Amino acid sequence: QVRLVESGGGLVQAGGSLTLSCAASGSVFSLNSVDWFRQPPEKQRDWIAGITREDRTNYTDSVKGRFSITRDSAKKTVYLQINRLKPEDTADYYCHGEVTLWNNESANYWGRGTQVTVSS
């Protein structure tokens, strides 16, 4: 069974940092493009950042300069580094990724999310 699992969320004070992880497991040959989304309480889920198969990164304007995406291909994991956290960063963070399976097929998956709470 293929899964994407986010981790690294938690409670942090404003100004602090967190690194979220999105790890692929199961019959996965590679984790390719990955997008990060976040959903604040009682609001919609919005795209915030992404990394392409070629490792090009893109960010929504509100997080540019504070968020950074990297990947560890060997671990089939993509990371989202969040610096200078603000209370408005409080949200559930989700990754959505494209994987190549061992049978050479491609598929897309959502993770179940990880919660980030920033106290002021």
Side-chain angles (χ1 to χ4, degrees):
Q1 182 180 2
V2 176
R3 295 197 305 166
L4 289 185
V5 179
E6 301 94 337
S7 62
L11 173 63
V12 64
Q13 286 188 329
S17 298
L18 279 176
T19 300
L20 307 183
S21 300
C22 173
S25 64
S27 302
V28 176
F29 174 74
S30 64
L31 177 60
N32 305 323
S33 61
V34 172
D35 290 288
W36 284 94
F37 296 76
R38 68 182 178 185
Q39 186 168 15
E42 301 181 3
K43 294 186 178 180
Q44 67 182 25
R45 186 179 302 185
D46 290 327
W47 177 86
I48 54 172
I51 185 167
T52 69
R53 180 192 294 256
E54 298 80 18
D55 286 344
R56 288 192 297 270
T57 57
N58 292 284
Y59 306 90
T60 192
D61 287 346
S62 63
V63 307
K64 282 181 181 177
R66 294 193 301 121
F67 287 32
S68 178
I69 294 182
T70 57
R71 82 159 75 233
D72 185 329
S73 296
K75 294 183 178 179
K76 302 170 193 174
T77 300
V78 167
Y79 303 95
L80 182 68
Q81 172 79 31
I82 309 175
N83 298 318
R84 302 191 303 279
L85 278 154
K86 305 175 181 180
E88 51 264 42
D89 294 321
T90 294
D92 291 325
Y93 284 72
Y94 299 88
C95 65
H96 178 266
E98 183 204 51
V99 302
T100 300
L101 307 176
W102 283 105
N103 64 4
N104 212 34
E105 293 181 354
S106 294
N108 291 277
Y109 295 90
W110 283 96
R112 293 189 174 184
T114 185
Q115 188 174 62
V116 173
T117 303
V118 184
S119 62
S120 57

